[in-house]
């Protein structure tokens, strides 16, 4: 009997131990070319100088970061003051992304729980229905959302036909429209991780707690949520991070008065009037914020695992 022995098959061997590095090489090459190299280029560009007609001059400086945080007047010779414009855009992006995450959690958790508690043969159908919107490009879905929310769109016409409102509601070009766009775009990112966690949950724990006369709210708060917390955390990250850097929803649904950081970065790389170093600096600041969030989240998960 090959590989059996007295241990009853407990011996584990790594047949490809010697070739492990070569097997990982394609993944490392892909990661380096498609992820690390663009980030390195962006980092270098953030320390370059803006060329008057667009592009960059290969002179290293901190002007782009200084422009983001400080206002030195029209000619750059005034005493530095905090540049609240860009900080305000960052803050708007944070609370919009946070609110989209909260709304997605409030809707996504019951949806994921419902799907996970259906008969096994029905679950694939429900997951299929959740993922159908992703068959269509995000740009098309966002434009469709704008058509739905406009003053003469189906939403306002339906509400007026029902007598709920007497005149159209102004939704497009508001923070509410941006929020609806973010929520609609990233809701499945919340549903699917939570669904995967709830599907693995041992419902015998809830039944045991119910047998001991624990209220439903207590079972949810003390047993179910802690058990599926990794899925909840993964869903929150998957919604918050792309919402923070989104630019389609703010551009198409929010207008110029509802800029988010993704829109700001996009504008810096468009046309000859763009400021590539400033756009790269804003990108690096956004990336740093996201990395800090992920590191804090990972450390918190490690502490809870212990």
């Amino acid at each position: 009997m090959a590989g059996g022995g007295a241990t009853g098959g407990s011996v584990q061997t790594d047949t490809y131990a010697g070739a492990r590095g070569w097997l990982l090489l394609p993944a490392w090459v892909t990661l380096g070319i498609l992820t690390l190299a663009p980030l390195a280029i962006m980092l270098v560009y953030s320390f370059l100088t803006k060329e008057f007609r667009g592009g960059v001059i290969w002179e290293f400086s901190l002007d782009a970061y200084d422009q983001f945080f400080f206002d030195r007047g029209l000619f750059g010779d005034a005493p530095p003051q905090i540049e609240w414009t860009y900080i305000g855009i960052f803050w708007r992006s944070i609370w919009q992304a946070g609110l989209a995450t909260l709304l997605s959690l409030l809707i996504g958790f019951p949806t994921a729980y419902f799907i996970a508690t259906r008969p096994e043969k029905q679950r694939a159908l429900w997951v299929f229905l959740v993922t159908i919107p992703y068959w269509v490009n995000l740009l098309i879905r966002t434009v469709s959302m704008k058509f739905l929310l406009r003053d003469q769109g189906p939403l306002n016409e339906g509400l007026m036909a029902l007598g709920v409102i007497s005149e159209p509601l102004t939704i497009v070009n508001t923070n509410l429209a941006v929020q609806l766009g973010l929520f609609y775009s990233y809701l499945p990112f919340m549903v699917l991780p939570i669904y995967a966690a709830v599907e693995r949950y041992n419902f015998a724990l809830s039944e045991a707690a119910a047998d001991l006369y624990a209220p439903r709210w207590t079972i949810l708060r003390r047993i179910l949520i802690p058990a599926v917390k990794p899925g909840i955390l993964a869903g929150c990250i998957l919604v918050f991070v792309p919402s923070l850097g989104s630019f389609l929803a703010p551009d198409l649904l929010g207008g110029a008065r509802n800029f988010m950081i993704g829109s700001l970065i996009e504008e810096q790389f468009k046309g000859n009037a763009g400021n590539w170093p400033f756009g790269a600096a804003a990108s690096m600041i956004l990336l740093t914020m996201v990395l800090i969030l992920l590191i804090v989240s990972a450390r918190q998960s490690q502490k809870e695992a212990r």
Side-chain angles (χ1 to χ4, degrees):
M1 184 181 296
T7 58
S10 62
V11 176
Q12 296 181 359
T13 60
D14 191 347
T15 306
Y16 302 101
R20 186 179 301 165
W22 291 105
L23 293 173
L24 289 175
L25 182 61
W28 282 113
V29 171
T30 303
L31 180 64
I33 294 176
L34 300 182
T35 303
L36 299 181
L39 288 178
I41 294 173
M42 193 72 69
L43 178 62
V44 172
Y45 267 53
S46 70
F47 291 104
L48 298 180
T49 303
K50 177 184 181 296
E51 210 276 329
F52 180 74
R53 294 168 297 180
V56 297
I57 300 174
W58 286 85
E59 296 178 359
F60 289 89
S61 70
L62 294 174
D63 291 347
Y65 291 94
D66 183 83
Q67 178 184 350
F68 187 92
F69 291 106
F70 299 105
D71 178 12
R72 298 181 181 272
L74 181 61
F75 300 101
D77 54 355
Q81 297 181 349
I82 296 178
E83 179 57 86
W84 293 108
T85 302
Y86 302 128
I87 296 176
I89 292 175
F90 245 97
W91 171 243
R92 183 186 300 118
S93 302
I94 292 173
W95 76 258
Q96 283 278 27
L99 183 57
T101 304
L102 178 60
L103 291 177
S104 297
L105 178 60
L106 292 177
I107 302 299
F109 185 88
T111 302
Y113 184 86
F114 173 82
I115 297 174
T117 53
R118 295 307 90 195
E120 188 172 354
K121 293 182 179 180
Q122 298 181 11
R123 295 174 193 172
L125 175 61
W126 287 106
V127 172
F128 170 77
L129 294 176
V130 170
T131 57
I132 277 182
Y134 280 80
W135 293 15
V136 181
N137 184 271
L138 178 60
L139 175 61
I140 298 176
R141 285 187 280 130
T142 306
V143 172
S144 301
M145 175 68 72
K146 184 175 183 178
F147 172 79
L148 176 67
L149 299 177
R150 65 179 182 169
D151 292 353
Q152 290 78 33
L155 177 62
N156 275 309
E157 291 181 354
L159 292 177
M160 288 190 294
L162 294 173
V164 178
I165 57 176
S166 58
E167 57 183 18
L169 299 174
T170 301
I171 302 177
V172 177
N173 296 332
T174 64
N175 284 324
L176 175 60
V178 176
Q179 186 55 230
L180 292 175
L182 295 175
F183 168 73
Y184 170 70
S185 298
Y186 302 113
L187 176 61
F189 286 179
M190 180 68 72
V191 173
L192 297 179
I194 298 179
Y195 161 71
V198 176
E199 190 180 32
R200 296 191 301 266
Y201 173 69
N202 185 2
F203 284 92
L205 299 175
S206 299
E207 295 174 1
D211 291 340
L212 295 173
Y213 304 102
R216 292 184 177 181
W217 171 249
T218 302
I219 296 174
L220 174 67
R221 182 172 55 89
R222 301 289 297 273
I223 300 177
L224 178 60
I225 291 181
V228 302
K229 188 174 181 180
I232 295 175
L233 184 60
C236 290
I237 293 175
L238 290 175
V239 173
F240 181 82
V241 172
S243 296
L244 186 63
S246 175
F247 66 89
L248 278 180
D251 283 0
L252 296 178
L253 300 175
R257 293 182 300 175
N258 299 283
F259 243 38
M260 289 177 60
I261 186 62
S263 305
L264 175 65
I265 295 172
E266 180 206 13
E267 286 294 323
Q268 305 310 310
F269 292 96
K270 291 171 59 176
N272 293 331
N275 188 338
W276 290 10
F278 180 74
S283 301
M284 297 310 301
I285 294 171
L286 176 62
L287 176 62
T288 301
M289 180 186 301
V290 171
L291 288 177
I292 291 174
L293 172 66
L294 295 178
I295 291 173
V296 171
S297 175
R299 290 187 175 180
Q300 183 66 26
S301 299
Q302 289 178 353
K303 289 181 180 179
E304 294 178 356
R306 295 173 184 173

